[in-house]
């Protein structure tokens, strides 16, 4: 008999806490639909009290997702819990996840509360949450550095108040598998009625052990794992969903539980999250990295050709590699385009948006012979970005580089509807383009990151550029895609400027 292991995905909440990874409502909806298709049990859709925009995004996700449970995070305060309760109200299955820190260092320096006050706030928060839903989760933030006797006490009290899932986070990524497994064993043995609740693990990756620690918890009784796609998340990230799911599936001899995940959706979900957040996946990343199933050395290739299992413990097709269909071509019409969008779970807001996306598709098909699903995702993202905010918009540009000469670029762009032109020289065509843009906008931003990745293979592939800009304490990622990477770079830079221009202030749950 195998138990069910609940997969709680927090890409849209803890993942979004990565620098610059904040997403628009439309982007969150696209990821939520894909997570539902992937088969995650719980989607943590955000932190409702962060801002009215965050509450609205959770509410919109709650309206459309039918299978997965939709959850909002809430600090242990009445305002937060009620904001979460309202946001998840339309959900078919809704959860409130409330938390408070329990370690001496957090209680003393961050909360400035006594242990007794912390227990009573936790109990009260769970009771408020139960006014909205029976599905209430409680987390003891920084459980890794909390006193075990205090954890037993607070968990006992919140169970009595009505919590159904108890989450034990390694907030700072400090534990090691042996100790994390032991912590679960002790908690489950000591907390009264521990068999009436689901025990959950939430691990950060500061020492590179988030997945290993999560799996140690599972081996010691945890039946929910909190994780993110591609391990996205605060600092070094969270436990990565794909690693947890595939470890449990591949090592059936060790784990007595299994998940509901449709593993063939793992790679498409990874690519979608990477393209929306602007966080590329490292090539040697387990499961979803481009090299995860590539065999470079001759000996390995020979072995794999003779008998696949000599060097492969999983099949690439089982996690969704190779599933990227040759979607459409130059001759595909509007209806074929619309149908493929539907199959990909992409819902465009209006006929106008569909027409604009179709025009972009035709333009791309003129420059690229084969259009893949990833190309369509990228052009829809590009179109959404333009529709939402185009205060700074690229009208046209040209760049020239020649050996022995300084590269030059000319940019014509619109600023709030008015056209401007600038010419600049730079170290390379991208540098010259950014300098030309800056001559016009004078943004005084700091460029923190510039990266280019190919969306599909081949020299005619679209390049996807991420530009991370910082100004006045705010950090944003801008993305742009084009078969010409200098144009993609200009689009990404303007996208980041637009985000800085329109972004609103949001509260961080853990600060
Ligand atoms: O890492 C953490 O402790 C969290 C909590 C809010 C669950 O993300
Ligand atoms: Zn976390």
């Amino acid at each position: 008999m195998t138990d069910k292991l609940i997969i709680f995905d927090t890409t849209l909440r803890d993942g979004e806490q990565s620098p610059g990874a904040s997403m628009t409502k439309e982007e969150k909806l696209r990821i939520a639909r894909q997570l539902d298709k992937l088969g995650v049990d719980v989607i943590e859709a955000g932190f409702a009290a962060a801002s009215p925009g965050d509450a609205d995004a959770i509410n919109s996700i709650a309206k459309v997702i039918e299978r997965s449970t939709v959850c909002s995070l809430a600090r242990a305060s009445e305002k937060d819990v009620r904001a979460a309760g309202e946001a998840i109200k339309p959900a078919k299955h809704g959860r409130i996840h409330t938390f408070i820190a329990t370690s001496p260092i957090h209680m003393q320096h961050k909360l400035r509360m006594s242990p007794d006050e912390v227990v009573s706030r936790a109990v009260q928060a769970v009771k408020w949450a139960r006014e909205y839903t029976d599905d209430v989760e409680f987390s003891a933030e920084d459980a890794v550095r909390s006193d075990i006797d205090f954890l037993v006490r607070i968990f006992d009290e919140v169970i009595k108040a009505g919590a159904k899932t108890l989450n034990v986070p390694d907030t700072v990524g400090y534990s090691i598998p042996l100790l994390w497994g032991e912590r679960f064993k002790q908690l489950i043995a000591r907390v009264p009625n521990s068999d009436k609740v689901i025990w959950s693990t939430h691990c950060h990756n500061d020492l590179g052990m988030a997945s290993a620690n999560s799996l140690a918890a599972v081996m010691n009784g945890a039946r929910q794992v909190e994780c993110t796609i591609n391990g996205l998340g605060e600092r070094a990230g969270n436990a990565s969903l794909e690693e947890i799911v595939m470890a449990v599936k591949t090592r059936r001899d060790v784990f007595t539980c299994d998940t509901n995940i449709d593993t063939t959706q793992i790679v498409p979900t990874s690519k979608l999250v990477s393209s929306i957040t602007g966080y590329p996946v490292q090539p040697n990343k387990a499961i979803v990295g481009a090299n995860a199933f590539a065999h470079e050395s001759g000996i390995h290739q020979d072995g794999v050709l003779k008998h696949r299992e000599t060097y492969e413990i999983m099949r690439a097709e089982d996690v969704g590699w190779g599933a990227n269909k040759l979607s459409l071509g130059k001759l595909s019409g509007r209806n074929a385009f619309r149908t493929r969008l539907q199959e990909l779970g992409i819902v465009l807001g209006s006929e106008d948006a569909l027409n604009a996306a179709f025009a972009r598709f035709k333009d791309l098909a003129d420059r690229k012979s084969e259009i893949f699903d990833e190309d369509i995702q990228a052009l829809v993202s590009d179109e959404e970005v333009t529709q939402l905010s185009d205060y700074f918009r690229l009208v046209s540009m040209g760049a020239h580089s020649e050996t022995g000469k300084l590269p030059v670029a000319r940019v014509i762009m619109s600023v709030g509807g008015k056209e401007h032109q600038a010419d600049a020289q730079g170290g390379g065509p991208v540098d010259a383009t950014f300098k030309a843009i800056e001559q016009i906008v004078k943004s005084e931003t700091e460029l923190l990151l510039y990266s280019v990745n190919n969306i599909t293979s081949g020299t005619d592939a679209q390049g996807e550029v991420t530009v991370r800009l910082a100004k006045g304490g705010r950090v944003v990622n801008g993305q742009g895609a084009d078969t010409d990477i200098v144009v993609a770079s200009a689009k990404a830079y303007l996208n980041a400027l637009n985000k800085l221009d329109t972004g609103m202030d949001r509260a961080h749950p853990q600060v």
Side-chain angles (χ1 to χ4, degrees):
M1 257 266 298
T2 50
D3 286 351
K4 165 138 183 236
L5 179 62
I6 297 168
I7 297 295
F8 176 114
D9 180 278
T10 181
T11 307
L12 297 178
R13 198 278 299 168
D14 225 335
E16 206 203 18
Q17 288 174 213
S18 316
S22 68
M23 299 167 233
T24 63
K25 178 169 93 178
E26 285 68 25
E27 289 169 340
K28 287 187 172 184
L29 271 164
R30 274 170 64 207
I31 292 182
R33 284 198 175 93
Q34 180 59 32
L35 290 173
D36 193 37
K37 194 166 168 188
L38 175 67
V40 308
D41 301 287
V42 186
I43 298 173
E44 187 163 53
F47 167 48
S51 73
D54 287 74
D56 181 41
I58 299 169
N59 193 257
S60 305
I61 292 170
K63 282 181 186 144
V64 299
I65 297 298
E66 301 223 320
R67 201 199 47 77
S68 310
T69 295
V70 177
C71 169
S72 170
L73 184 69
R75 288 168 297 202
S77 77
E78 181 165 9
K79 180 182 139 287
D80 271 35
V81 173
R82 300 219 180 276
E86 293 304 322
I88 60 149
K89 235 177 204 166
K92 198 158 177 196
H93 314 283
R95 172 180 297 188
I96 297 175
H97 173 195
T98 186
F99 75 100
I100 193 161
T102 49
S103 61
I105 186 168
H106 274 233
M107 290 191 289
Q108 197 182 330
H109 299 288
K110 183 177 92 166
L111 300 175
R112 299 205 174 106
M113 285 166 91
S114 69
D116 287 350
E117 282 171 311
V118 167
V119 172
S120 83
R121 280 284 281 273
V123 166
Q124 187 54 62
V126 170
K127 287 185 179 159
W128 283 318
R130 284 294 304 259
E131 290 176 26
Y132 295 88
T133 172
D134 291 345
D135 190 350
V136 173
E137 170 170 336
F138 171 77
S139 283
E141 189 191 9
D142 203 21
V144 69
R145 292 185 292 176
S146 302
D147 174 54
I148 186 96
D149 294 336
F150 185 57
L151 284 178
V152 170
R153 175 179 163 206
I154 198 164
F155 282 142
D156 178 23
E157 293 297 334
V158 295
I159 292 178
K160 287 190 216 140
K164 295 285 185 266
T165 301
L166 300 186
N167 186 37
V168 188
D170 179 0
T171 305
V172 289
Y174 181 62
S175 201
I176 60 170
L178 189 79
L179 297 181
W180 201 237
E182 186 56 32
R183 184 138 279 225
F184 274 78
K185 194 191 270 176
Q186 288 205 19
L187 285 171
I188 293 172
R190 291 183 52 192
V191 171
N193 292 312
S194 66
D195 57 330
K196 306 280 187 307
V197 292
I198 300 285
W199 288 88
S200 168
T201 178
H202 175 116
C203 296
H204 281 267
N205 205 29
D206 300 65
L207 291 173
M209 282 184 279
S211 294
N213 287 337
S214 305
L215 292 167
V218 171
M219 292 185 77
N220 285 281
R223 284 297 173 266
Q224 172 174 288
V225 175
E226 302 199 351
C227 46
T228 58
I229 302 295
N230 302 336
L232 196 68
E234 287 267 6
R235 305 179 310 278
N238 288 58
S240 78
L241 179 145
E242 57 277 8
E243 292 172 11
I244 304 294
V245 168
M246 290 315 290
V248 166
K249 184 177 160 96
T250 307
R251 299 306 307 262
R252 287 245 160 83
D253 54 332
V254 176
F255 294 99
T256 55
C257 51
D258 203 1
T259 71
N260 277 341
I261 297 295
D262 172 359
T263 59
T264 63
Q265 290 299 323
I266 286 178
V267 170
T269 314
S270 156
K271 290 191 171 180
L272 180 68
V273 169
S274 165
S275 120
I276 287 182
T277 57
Y279 270 75
V281 177
Q282 76 195 54
N284 56 332
K285 167 83 178 67
I287 326 285
V288 293
N291 292 350
F293 292 87
H295 296 279
E296 188 63 48
S297 99
I299 296 169
H300 285 200
Q301 280 180 359
D302 183 54
V304 170
L305 288 176
K306 282 184 180 137
H307 187 73
R308 195 182 54 79
E309 281 162 23
T310 45
Y311 284 100
E312 274 189 13
I313 55 163
M314 297 168 276
R315 297 189 320 169
E317 55 273 34
D318 288 350
V319 297
W321 282 109
N324 60 335
K325 281 202 211 113
L326 182 59
S327 241
L328 300 163
K330 200 178 161 114
L331 300 176
S332 309
R334 205 166 161 283
N335 272 341
F337 181 67
R338 185 203 292 267
T339 309
R340 193 68 203 129
L341 288 183
Q342 276 163 0
E343 285 164 2
L344 288 172
I346 298 172
V347 183
L348 291 178
S350 64
E351 269 312 283
D352 280 355
L354 177 70
N355 290 339
F358 183 61
R360 281 187 178 224
F361 159 71
K362 281 292 188 192
D363 176 48
L364 181 63
D366 278 339
R367 287 177 286 136
K368 189 172 187 291
S369 49
E370 298 172 325
I371 309 273
F372 292 87
D373 290 348
E374 291 90 330
D375 290 314
I376 296 187
Q377 298 277 17
L379 77 82
V380 169
S381 293
D382 240 30
E383 186 49 36
E384 267 176 9
V385 161
T386 321
Q387 300 261 330
L388 277 174
S389 141
D390 65 348
Y391 185 77
F392 300 114
R393 188 170 53 79
L394 183 68
V395 176
S396 65
M397 64 161 295
H400 181 76
S401 59
E402 197 180 325
T403 34
K405 292 200 175 145
L406 262 186
V408 289
R410 166 166 297 167
V411 170
I412 303 177
M413 61 179 281
S414 135
V415 180
K418 190 161 176 278
E419 269 188 28
H420 299 262
Q421 177 180 319
D423 294 87
Q425 291 185 324
V430 172
D431 188 42
T433 303
F434 288 2
K435 285 191 168 126
I437 294 175
E438 274 303 324
Q439 274 184 30
I440 299 169
V441 301
K442 298 183 179 54
S443 71
E444 290 171 12
T445 51
E446 188 190 349
L447 179 70
L448 298 183
L449 175 134
Y450 170 81
S451 84
V452 191
N453 283 282
N454 50 327
I455 294 182
T456 55
S457 53
T459 49
D460 70 345
Q462 291 196 84
E464 189 167 48
V465 174
T466 301
V467 166
R468 185 173 303 155
L469 296 181
K471 186 177 178 181
R474 286 194 60 221
V475 179
V476 294
N477 284 346
Q479 281 96 262
D482 202 282
T483 48
D484 179 331
I485 57 164
V486 187
V487 175
S489 304
K491 286 184 184 172
Y493 198 89
L494 295 180
N495 177 221
L497 288 178
N498 277 323
K499 283 188 180 170
L500 272 177
D501 204 49
T502 54
M504 49 188 160
D505 283 338
R506 310 161 73 208
H508 185 293
Q510 288 159 279
V511 180

